[in-house]
Amino acid sequence: MTQQTSRRPGLERNRVGVADLLKGAVEMAPDLLSMARHAPGMVLRSPDAAKTIGSVFANLAAKYPDRPFVRFDGAMLTYGEANRVVNRYAAVLAERGVGVGDVVGILAENSDTDLLVILATVKLGASAGMLNYNQSGAVIDHSMTLLDAKVLIRDPRCVEAWETMRPERRPEHVLDFDELDAAAAGKPDADPAVTATLPASTNAFLIFTSGTTGLPKASRMSHNRWLANYSGIGGLAVRLRPSDTLYVPLPMYHNNALSVSLGAVLAGGACIAIGRKFSASRFWDDVIANRATAFCYIGELCRYLLAQPARPTDRQHAVRVIVGNGMRPEIWDEFAERFGIERVVEFYGASELNLAFVNAFNVKRTAGFCPLPFKVVEYDADGSPRRDADGRLRSVRKGEPGLLIAEISARVPLDGYTDDAETERKVIRDAFKPGDAYFNSGDLVRQQGFFHIAFVDRLGDTFRWKGENVATTEVEAAVAGDAAVEHVAVYGIEVPGCDGRAGMAAVSLAEGAVLDGKELADRLYADLPSYALPLFLRQVPEIEATTTFKNRKVELRDEGYADTGDDPVWVLKGKADGYVPFYAEYPAEVAAAKAPR
């Protein structure tokens, strides 16, 4: 099997050199004192140390009680005010039996209450189980089963996820936001005693991530790993100051917001401004209204902002630094220039990955550097690492695409998933020598020099769309539920002007069946999160169900929607129209966020 060498349009092979690092070091000069405080956290961090998210937040609240901490919907809470609410919420949870090692399920859209419940949970040594409110039915039931939560806190806005959840999947104690506030009234507002004693190895979050097995998996995030983001990305790269406000329009159930953004805010003793949901048309108005000097992003967000008509607000804001992942090389300069962004702190990481890369030196078109041990190795078409005749892995040359793997050791432990078997599936053993272990990221990257990488693509059956990882087997199961469909194969394809890969399904129909595009769309809208909906359908005579099926899937993916021969292609117009025959303007409409509607 030959190594894949496909390249995304616009991906540059830029190398990182000494001059880049020196320039970045000069720019860091004003922040050297604050960086010096955080540097030890990257090398001297101990899983046994009594330092956690809760203690970091409580200490800031004690030192700076009157400093702004969170803004939402025009309201603001100081560190002191927020800490008192957090402690009252913690008392409510503790009364319902929540303690060290337990799980609190949190089903909520972005809000200040969402954040305060998260902090209350981790202060008790419990894990915040961050449910994706786009899930419903069997998927949300599966997630609740994985959490095995003692308490569920729910946002009344998350109606569909809640109402389609089977009653037996709900824990004994369920509180909506109003009920939580009523229960918290009059409760003690002192820090829980246990917060000061918790070791960093305590689990903090359960973050859901899609894998090649289909249904979501819950990856663990310990306080220790969160503290690595806090020190490395927040303290050394983003470098917020107490006067800064970081605007967060991304969902709090993702690490981009929960770990990277919150970590950067607490590392600088700054303020976090929470947007309920991202809106391209209102984005800069919200940034200005919140007096934000920074924001977090994913690549799709940046592309949507660039697609908006030019407005005076493009430069009337005070943002100087942004942090996120997925900034495409071909829009990097245009985005920074149009919106006047001084620093783009791109990072690379994953919920389950035991290391992260961050663009601390403000180098263009890079996912950044990582001082921890990793390798970029040869791989096969199915995304698995390739072993040589001796059974060992081989590194690729600098600048060539390869599979990123991260060494697992006592210094860099792996938190993994709640399912130990799923964790073991991602571990590569005896990679370069007997007894070593590496985590398979499933991602294709290029080394750029000086421990920097550029992200190229995601490998295997999982693809990324709208900032979410989509498991093809989950989508295949939903499509196969249609009576007209006999066989289905789902894969991600590139659409010009879009980040990630859009979903495409190749379907063969049952004998005599006719595809009803509206009926199928109605079914998929009911069964799948919006980001997992396949935008393209290709009707094929048959789909191979042999041991070479994966090879066929790669061919289908490479052919996309344009090289389909005589096969009919359908596209998802939206909820009202469902799937309609392909028309030439559709890919551009997807890129402009005009379809599906």
Side-chain angles (χ1 to χ4, degrees):
M1 200 172 281
T2 57
Q3 182 169 328
Q4 303 297 295
T5 57
S6 61
R7 295 173 175 80
R8 282 180 161 188
L11 184 64
E12 301 185 20
R13 287 171 168 265
N14 58 302
R15 300 291 182 88
V16 176
V18 174
D20 296 310
L21 303 187
L22 290 176
K23 179 176 179 294
V26 170
E27 293 176 357
M28 291 177 182
D31 302 316
L32 286 179
L33 285 178
S34 64
M35 292 175 68
R37 293 200 312 270
H38 290 285
M42 287 301 296
V43 293
L44 302 177
R45 207 175 65 255
S46 169
D48 299 321
K51 183 176 183 180
T52 61
I53 303 163
S55 66
V56 167
F57 176 68
N59 290 339
L60 284 168
K63 290 181 181 179
Y64 312 108
D66 299 324
R67 185 180 290 177
F69 169 61
V70 58
R71 293 192 178 101
F72 177 71
D73 269 2
M76 188 274 289
L77 288 175
T78 66
Y79 272 86
E81 291 168 336
N83 192 49
R84 288 190 287 275
V85 175
V86 165
N87 292 338
R88 289 194 288 269
Y89 285 172
V92 172
L93 296 175
E95 280 185 350
R96 285 151 181 81
V98 174
V100 177
D102 291 322
V103 175
V104 174
I106 301 174
L107 177 63
E109 291 185 357
N110 278 12
S111 68
D112 50 357
T113 302
D114 183 20
L115 176 59
L116 300 180
V117 171
I118 293 166
L119 291 171
T121 300
V122 299
K123 273 197 170 191
L124 293 173
S127 298
M130 304 304 298
L131 291 158
N132 183 334
Y133 53 75
N134 290 298
Q135 296 177 354
S136 61
V139 180
I140 194 75
D141 286 342
H142 172 79
S143 296
M144 288 299 297
T145 300
L146 290 182
L147 289 186
D148 190 23
K150 184 159 283 188
V151 176
L152 175 66
I153 304 297
R154 70 178 188 91
D155 181 345
R157 289 175 178 266
C158 302
V159 177
E160 184 175 4
W162 168 250
E163 291 185 346
T164 61
M165 186 189 301
R166 287 193 290 174
E168 59 266 31
R169 292 291 179 263
R170 300 169 183 170
E172 177 185 356
H173 302 289
V174 178
L175 297 170
D176 66 22
F177 282 178
D178 289 339
E179 292 167 338
L180 174 64
D181 283 329
K187 290 290 187 293
D189 58 15
D191 294 317
V194 70
T195 304
T197 68
L198 294 170
S201 58
T202 307
N203 195 53
F205 306 127
L206 292 173
I207 308 289
F208 284 96
T209 177
S210 295
T212 55
T213 55
L215 290 169
K217 293 181 289 188
S219 63
R220 298 185 181 97
M221 167 71 77
S222 67
H223 289 267
N224 195 38
R225 190 150 68 93
W226 185 93
L227 288 166
N229 287 326
Y230 163 82
S231 297
I233 298 180
L236 299 180
V238 182
R239 307 192 297 273
L240 295 180
R241 299 157 190 164
S243 57
D244 281 321
T245 295
L246 189 148
Y247 178 63
V248 178
L250 301 177
M252 295 295 291
Y253 59 70
H254 270 186
N255 268 325
N256 195 313
L258 192 59
S259 294
V260 174
S261 300
L262 179 61
V265 166
L266 295 185
C271 180
I272 185 170
I274 300 174
R276 190 179 295 278
K277 287 184 178 179
F278 169 70
S279 167
S281 60
R282 298 195 309 270
F283 181 84
W284 292 112
D285 294 329
D286 289 347
V287 164
I288 292 167
N290 281 289
R291 290 170 280 173
T293 54
F295 66 80
C296 66
Y297 68 86
I298 57 172
E300 199 79 357
L301 180 153
C302 298
R303 190 178 60 75
Y304 285 157
L305 293 179
L306 276 177
Q308 290 290 302
R311 299 187 181 119
T313 50
D314 288 354
R315 285 288 193 127
Q316 288 177 346
H317 57 82
V319 173
R320 69 174 195 281
V321 57
I322 61 177
V323 56
N325 61 312
M327 178 76 80
R328 292 283 288 268
E330 62 268 26
I331 70 167
W332 190 298
D333 292 347
E334 180 186 0
F335 188 89
E337 174 59 30
R338 173 174 167 179
F339 299 113
I341 308 300
E342 296 175 15
R343 288 196 294 123
V344 178
V345 184
E346 175 83 359
F347 72 88
Y348 166 85
S351 299
E352 63 272 39
L353 194 61
N354 57 334
L355 52 72
F357 293 76
V358 61
N359 185 22
F361 292 93
N362 197 24
V363 181
K364 293 181 179 180
R365 296 175 293 281
T366 181
F369 87 106
C370 178
L372 300 174
F374 68 91
K375 298 283 187 181
V376 182
V377 301
E378 295 180 356
Y379 62 98
D380 287 324
D382 63 356
S384 61
R386 179 189 301 164
R387 293 186 184 266
D388 61 19
D390 297 324
R392 304 299 184 209
L393 307 189
R394 293 189 299 182
S395 297
V396 299
R397 291 181 299 176
K398 187 181 298 182
E400 292 302 312
L403 178 66
L404 175 67
I405 62 175
E407 186 175 356
I408 303 168
S409 66
R411 180 187 173 204
V412 193
L414 178 67
D415 292 339
Y417 304 108
T418 54
D419 186 330
D420 291 339
E422 288 291 346
T423 301
E424 187 61 28
R425 280 166 52 91
K426 298 295 292 287
V427 176
I428 306 166
R429 300 197 180 277
D430 304 321
F432 298 95
K433 61 184 180 181
D436 67 6
Y438 285 78
F439 186 81
N440 184 350
S441 73
D443 286 334
L444 182 64
V445 304
R446 284 193 182 93
Q447 291 197 70
Q448 298 173 296
F450 292 96
F451 306 102
H452 283 68
I453 64 166
F455 177 80
V456 176
D457 210 345
R458 188 158 182 83
L459 296 172
D461 284 341
T462 304
F463 60 92
R464 196 164 178 83
W465 182 246
K466 303 293 185 185
E468 304 275 357
N469 290 336
V470 181
T472 58
T473 49
E474 177 188 346
V475 183
E476 286 167 353
V479 176
D482 190 275
V485 175
E486 186 170 49
H487 297 295
V488 58
V490 171
Y491 42 95
I493 62 166
E494 292 185 343
V495 178
C498 294
D499 298 304
R501 292 178 180 266
M504 185 167 185
V507 297
S508 63
L509 303 184
E511 187 174 353
V514 176
L515 184 69
D516 186 326
K518 179 65 167 65
E519 184 177 307
L520 176 59
D522 288 345
R523 174 186 294 276
L524 298 185
Y525 269 108
D527 292 347
L528 294 172
S530 58
Y531 59 80
L533 293 165
L535 302 194
F536 300 85
L537 294 180
R538 176 180 177 178
Q539 190 175 326
V540 297
E542 63 179 2
I543 294 176
E544 295 179 33
T546 67
T547 56
T548 61
F549 174 74
K550 285 194 174 181
N551 291 335
R552 177 61 179 146
K553 207 175 205 183
V554 171
E555 293 169 14
L556 290 167
R557 183 182 65 204
D558 292 343
E559 290 165 357
Y561 57 83
D563 187 18
T564 57
D566 296 329
D567 296 343
V569 175
W570 303 61
V571 294
L572 184 60
K573 183 74 172 174
K575 277 192 174 182
D577 300 297
Y579 287 97
V580 301
F582 178 89
Y583 54 97
E585 297 81 9
Y586 184 77
E589 290 179 1
V590 172
K594 295 179 179 178
R597 287 291 188 185

